């Protein structure tokens, strides 16, 4: 068992003590890799050493009973080494190929799906949600649980044209990442200000500087120092809420969910891209978010049927064109989808962040 490491205040810890010995020995010297079946990866080193990786899906937030169960499976059926991915999957490494099938059976019997590799739908990268985040407009963890229940078959099977990466974010400003399909909170009303609390809670100059469109300015309300919002400028992003909780923007009625598609971080076969809005104003309908699941499944089904091998989501859209994307998916196209807003330069030049 590895020795307990002292806490590190900055930077990542040295990964070598926690790696499988075969990985440490052959670090950077791999000669071949393959994908024997969904959820299983195989690597062979220049030395001839072999290692198999079994990937299982887990919940983003787990109690210690679940973590102990996963660790017990590693000790009993694997080599005692695991790692968690950025998308909350757990990966077991074994140096003996005969251990792969018993390990898969042990995980499956406990309810952990095996998959998320190659041309499948990956586990959703997401933010903390209601349990940990201090500014959530929705529960990203809940959206993930509800949606992955619907996409179970697409996770355990490799039937997509290419890998499909999904992400969710419980606010508009912090953790939402680029992805083939992104589910992001959409605020539709400016913040409601509790003027009695602003002076005692908020550092007003910081809040003013935080606004990306210079829509916030100091004000005197009922004889107390406070803030006011120019609602004609406000883009309802929620950036003011973290440094100033009295500027409440989360709302059970007016905080919605939007779907964006076509984000891509890699350079493989095409350049990285920003995702674009395709559905807005979906109800923030906990705990199962059925309206969100319906839109995501509709997009995935169309992409699965119409995409060519190795096409990522944005490659498929670029080939058929955005008008065809909306026609094939059946999503309504409105004037709000047209990317021709010309106020950006004026607003950005008015902020403290960027000038051009």
């Amino acid at each position: 068992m590895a020795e307990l490491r002292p806490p590190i205040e900055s930077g990542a810890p040295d990964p070598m003590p926690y790696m499988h010995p075969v990985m440490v020995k052959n670090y950077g010297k791999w000669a071949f890799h393959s994908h024997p079946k969904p959820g299983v990866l195989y690597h062979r080193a220049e030395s001839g050493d072999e290692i198999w990786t079994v990937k299982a899906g887990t919940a983003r937030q787990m109690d210690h009973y679940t973590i102990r169960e996963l660790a017990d499976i590693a000790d009993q059926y694997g080599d005692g080494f695991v790692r968690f991915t950025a998308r909350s999957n757990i990966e077991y490494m074994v140096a003996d190929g005969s251990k792969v099938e018993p390990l898969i059976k042990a995980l499956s019997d406990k309810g952990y799906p095996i998959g998320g590799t190659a041309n499948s739908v990956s586990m959703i990268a997401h933010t903390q949600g209601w349990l940990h985040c201090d500014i959530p407009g929705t529960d990203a963890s809940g959206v993930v649980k509800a949606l992955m229940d619907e996409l179970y078959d697409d996770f355990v099977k490799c039937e997509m044209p290419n890998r499909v990466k999904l992400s969710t974010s419980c606010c508009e400003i912090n953790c939402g990442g680029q992805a083939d399909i992104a589910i992001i909170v959409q605020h539709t009303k400016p913040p409601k200000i509790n003027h009695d609390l602003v002076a005692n809670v908020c550092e007003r100059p910081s809040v003013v500087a935080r606004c990306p469109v210079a829509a916030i300015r100091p004000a005197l309300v009922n004889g107390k120092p406070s803030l006011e919002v120019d609602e004609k400028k406000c883009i309802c992003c929620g950036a003011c809420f973290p440094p100033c909780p009295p500027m409440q923007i989360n709302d059970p009625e007016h905080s919605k969910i939007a779907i964006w598609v076509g984000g891509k971080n890699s350079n493989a076969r095409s350049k990285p891209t920003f995702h674009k809005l395709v559905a807005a104003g979906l109800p923030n309908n906990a705990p199962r978010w059925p309206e969100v699941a319906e839109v995501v499944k509709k997009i995935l089904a169309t992409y699965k049927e119409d995409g060519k091998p190795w096409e990522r989501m944005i490659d498929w859209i670029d080939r058929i064109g955005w008008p065809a994307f909306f026609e094939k998916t059946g999503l309504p196209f409105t004037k709000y989808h047209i990317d021709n807003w010309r106020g950006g330069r004026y607003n950005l030049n008015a902020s403290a962040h960027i000038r051009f």
Side-chain angles (χ1 to χ4, degrees):
M1 180 178 177
E3 293 183 5
L4 295 176
R5 64 174 176 85
I8 298 174
E9 296 299 327
S10 62
D14 179 11
M16 293 300 178
Y18 311 102
M19 279 190 187
H20 193 288
V22 172
M23 297 176 69
V24 175
K25 175 186 174 183
N26 299 284
Y27 190 80
K29 299 176 182 178
W30 301 100
F32 174 79
H33 70 273
S34 65
H35 179 243
K37 60 187 295 186
V40 180
L41 302 174
Y42 166 77
H43 289 78
R44 186 177 69 244
E46 295 171 357
S47 65
D49 290 341
E50 297 175 311
I51 194 165
W52 286 260
T53 303
V54 176
K55 177 179 286 190
T58 71
R60 170 66 169 79
Q61 295 165 339
M62 296 181 286
D63 57 30
H64 68 281
Y65 298 105
T66 302
I67 295 172
R68 285 177 176 173
E69 181 176 74
L70 292 168
D72 289 342
I73 291 174
D75 289 335
Q76 186 174 354
Y77 296 94
D79 292 346
F81 289 85
V82 300
R83 63 186 176 193
F84 284 93
T85 71
R87 294 178 177 271
S88 308
N89 297 307
I90 186 169
E91 293 183 342
Y92 293 80
M93 284 68 67
V94 294
D96 182 355
S98 65
K99 292 184 176 181
V100 171
E101 291 303 325
L103 177 56
I104 290 175
K105 185 179 186 306
L107 288 164
S108 300
D109 289 346
K110 293 292 185 179
Y112 300 103
I114 309 300
T117 54
N119 53 323
S120 65
V121 171
S122 73
M123 176 64 174
I124 305 174
H126 65 97
T127 54
Q128 299 291 346
W130 288 330
L131 187 59
H132 286 297
C133 184
D134 60 341
I135 58 168
T138 189
D139 184 31
S141 305
V143 175
V144 169
K145 164 60 178 169
L147 190 53
M148 289 308 294
D149 283 348
E150 302 274 353
L151 302 179
Y152 177 90
D153 285 342
D154 294 315
F155 178 83
V156 301
K157 298 176 182 177
C158 296
E159 297 178 344
M160 290 290 168
N162 202 338
R163 188 75 176 275
V164 180
K165 296 184 176 181
L166 298 93
S167 71
T168 66
S169 178
C170 50
C171 72
E172 292 188 16
I173 56 170
N174 286 342
C175 307
Q178 296 294 320
D180 294 295
I181 302 177
I183 302 102
I184 302 177
V185 159
Q186 173 194 26
H187 299 300
T188 60
K189 294 288 184 180
K192 297 177 181 178
I193 305 176
N194 186 334
H195 297 288
D196 294 332
L197 298 178
V198 169
N200 294 329
V201 176
C202 310
E203 187 177 339
R204 294 190 300 155
S206 297
V207 182
V208 171
R210 180 79 177 248
C211 181
V213 292
I216 301 174
R217 52 180 175 258
L220 198 65
V221 180
N222 298 326
K224 297 180 180 180
S226 189
L227 297 163
E228 62 182 7
V229 176
D230 184 342
E231 296 191 0
K232 292 182 179 180
K233 287 184 177 181
C234 180
I235 58 174
C236 306
C237 68
C240 54
F241 179 47
C244 189
M247 298 187 72
Q248 178 61 254
I249 195 166
N250 293 328
D251 186 274
E253 180 182 356
H254 300 298
S255 290
K256 307 289 187 178
I257 291 183
I259 308 294
W260 302 65
V261 305
K264 179 173 176 286
N265 292 315
S266 76
N267 276 304
R269 288 172 290 280
S270 61
K271 296 179 179 179
T273 57
F274 287 116
H275 50 211
K276 292 184 179 294
L277 179 73
V278 297
L282 300 175
N284 188 5
N285 192 4
R288 301 302 298 181
W289 292 270
E291 297 84 1
V292 175
E294 181 183 356
V295 172
V296 171
K297 289 193 295 183
K298 188 182 298 184
I299 295 170
L300 284 173
T302 308
Y303 167 64
K304 181 178 180 179
E305 179 182 352
D306 196 56
K308 293 183 177 181
W310 298 106
E311 279 187 330
R312 285 286 294 272
M313 182 76 68
I314 187 59
D315 299 326
W316 166 61
I317 294 170
D318 283 344
R319 175 171 60 83
I320 66 174
W322 282 103
F325 169 85
F326 282 95
E327 290 173 7
K328 289 176 180 289
T329 58
L331 298 176
F333 182 84
T334 72
K335 64 180 181 179
Y336 301 107
H337 292 99
I338 300 174
D339 191 11
N340 68 346
W341 185 57
R342 299 186 179 185
R345 180 165 183 166
Y346 170 79
N347 278 346
L348 289 172
N349 279 336
S351 77
H353 300 118
I354 184 172
R355 293 182 180 275
F356 60 95

